[in-house]
Amino acid sequence: MVAAMVLVLIVVLILLFMYWVIWRDRLIRNRPFLSAWRAILEANLPIYSALPGEDQHRLQQLINLFMAKKRFVGCGGLQISDEIRITIAAQACLLLLRQGWSVYPKLYSVLVYPYGFKVKHEESQLDGTVSRTGKNLSGESWSNGKVILSWDDVTSGVADFTDGRNVVLHEFAHQLDTESGSANGAPLLRRNSYQTWAQVFTKNFKDLQWRSQHHHKTVMDEYGTTNPAEFFAVATETFFEKPQQLYRKRPKLYQQLSQYYQIDPRQWHQ
Ligand SMILES: [Zn+2]
């Protein structure tokens, strides 16, 4: 009898906690959006003005959640400002525009360096030894709740929203990818069929590798040939920044991405 009452109490407490989280998030996302933040969006995110009013409002709500829940850390002497936080949060939230209110639940911190940063990586060599190399990076996404970005690359990526290169979209696509457990090019699919996704992505991945090896022009950056996870991240950059070209050259890939993100960015670029 006592055990049953304890069990009921635990269930009630869990339900109360879940209700409290939903109630708190609703309060946060419905906070008035600061006019200074809107000015940053208008100045730094060219695509913002092209969004329909309803999407602008939804993006602001997502940014409110992102700003309240994620910690920004300045590295290499960089002082974090609202301009840095809003410019990064806005692009990260663009990927979630029609994805519900879950804002990267596994992400806790965004670390920002002023310029490209060096990360020590251990690489196994063919002879069995391990070498340590220092790569210069513009961004990196970790599965343990961290994204690292170079502010210099963030600003150059967002300044031209038509060249298919955007480090924030790239690294946060990796975050979506790891929500499914591992970075393998397949995020949690709620509307797409996993089978169709695998078929379309594998075919386009192999085609990009072939075109790259044979020095043909490609609409996607050749970095997408590295592995399926990089292919998904690069496809995301291209989908948002060069939607017309991607639609023409890789219509089935475009259709899968459009179904996943629930948007058609071609409308924003007209
Ligand atoms: Zn990557």
Side-chain angles (χ1 to χ4, degrees), residues 186-242:
L188 281 176
L189 301 176
R190 296 178 182 89
R191 302 172 197 91
N192 309 59
S193 132
Y194 277 96
Q195 193 185 1
T196 312
W197 181 279
Q199 280 167 356
V200 171
F201 270 71
T202 304
K203 189 170 183 299
N204 279 276
F205 175 58
K206 286 186 175 164
D207 182 66
L208 184 66
Q209 285 185 319
W210 186 87
R211 293 187 72 81
S212 168
Q213 281 159 9
H214 293 83
H215 311 292
H216 290 295
K217 242 179 116 181
T218 58
V219 64
M220 286 175 59
D221 192 283
E222 292 180 4
Y223 187 62
T225 62
T226 312
N227 57 46
E230 296 304 343
F231 183 82
F232 170 63
V234 172
T236 294
E237 290 177 85
T238 319
F239 175 71
F240 278 90
E241 292 210 349
K242 293 159 75 178

Side-chain angles (χ1 to χ4, degrees), residues 170-171 174 223 230 233:
H170 184 105
E171 301 309 334
H174 281 317
Y223 187 62
E230 296 304 343

Side-chain angles (χ1 to χ4, degrees), residues 4 8-9 18 21 31 48 88 102 122 166 194 203 209 219 228 241 252 259 264:
V8 169
L9 186 66
M18 286 166 65
V21 169
R31 281 176 190 161
Y48 176 75
I88 293 170
S102 174
E122 293 192 343
N166 186 305
Y194 277 96
K203 189 170 183 299
Q209 285 185 319
V219 64
E241 292 210 349
K252 287 189 175 163
Q259 195 175 343
D264 183 355

Side-chain angles (χ1 to χ4, degrees), residues 18-231:
M18 286 166 65
Y19 177 77
W20 175 77
V21 169
I22 293 168
W23 174 80
R24 182 203 58 185
D25 281 7
R26 191 177 297 147
L27 274 186
I28 293 172
R29 71 174 187 252
N30 288 332
R31 281 176 190 161
F33 197 73
L34 300 179
S35 56
W37 290 4
R38 189 180 304 116
I40 294 168
L41 286 182
E42 286 165 357
N44 286 13
L45 190 69
I47 207 74
Y48 176 75
S49 305
L51 297 180
E54 192 189 326
D55 283 341
Q56 287 184 344
H57 178 62
R58 213 180 139 79
L59 186 64
Q60 291 174 1
Q61 290 181 301
L62 287 162
I63 293 170
N64 275 342
L65 284 169
F66 196 101
M67 294 289 274
K69 294 182 164 198
K70 311 304 175 194
R71 195 167 65 104
F72 282 81
V73 183
C75 305
L78 184 73
Q79 292 284 331
I80 293 293
S81 62
D82 271 1
E83 184 189 8
I84 292 174
R85 297 198 300 156
I86 291 292
T87 306
I88 293 170
Q91 294 174 83
C93 291
L94 205 55
L95 303 185
L96 309 175
L97 205 51
R98 304 270 173 80
Q99 300 265 20
W101 296 113
S102 174
V103 178
Y104 303 104
K106 292 182 179 172
L107 176 79
Y108 299 103
S109 312
V110 180
L111 281 67
V112 192
Y113 283 85
Y115 300 103
F117 52 93
K118 273 206 171 8
V119 174
K120 292 251 187 310
H121 281 282
E122 293 192 343
E123 283 179 2
S124 298
Q125 302 300 312
L126 289 172
D127 61 3
T129 58
V130 174
S131 71
R132 287 183 184 80
T133 54
K135 288 183 180 170
N136 210 25
L137 298 174
S138 58
E140 200 169 51
S141 169
W142 292 46
S143 56
N144 65 354
K146 265 190 279 183
V147 163
I148 313 174
L149 295 164
S150 136
W151 176 238
D152 185 44
D153 289 278
V154 170
T155 50
S156 62
V158 73
D160 184 352
F161 215 79
T162 61
D163 64 357
R165 288 164 187 261
N166 186 305
V167 67
V168 181
L169 298 180
H170 184 105
E171 301 309 334
F172 281 87
H174 281 317
Q175 283 291 307
L176 292 175
D177 193 359
T178 48
E179 279 177 16
S180 63
S182 58
N184 57 8
L188 281 176
L189 301 176
R190 296 178 182 89
R191 302 172 197 91
N192 309 59
S193 132
Y194 277 96
Q195 193 185 1
T196 312
W197 181 279
Q199 280 167 356
V200 171
F201 270 71
T202 304
K203 189 170 183 299
N204 279 276
F205 175 58
K206 286 186 175 164
D207 182 66
L208 184 66
Q209 285 185 319
W210 186 87
R211 293 187 72 81
S212 168
Q213 281 159 9
H214 293 83
H215 311 292
H216 290 295
K217 242 179 116 181
T218 58
V219 64
M220 286 175 59
D221 192 283
E222 292 180 4
Y223 187 62
T225 62
T226 312
N227 57 46
E230 296 304 343
F231 183 82

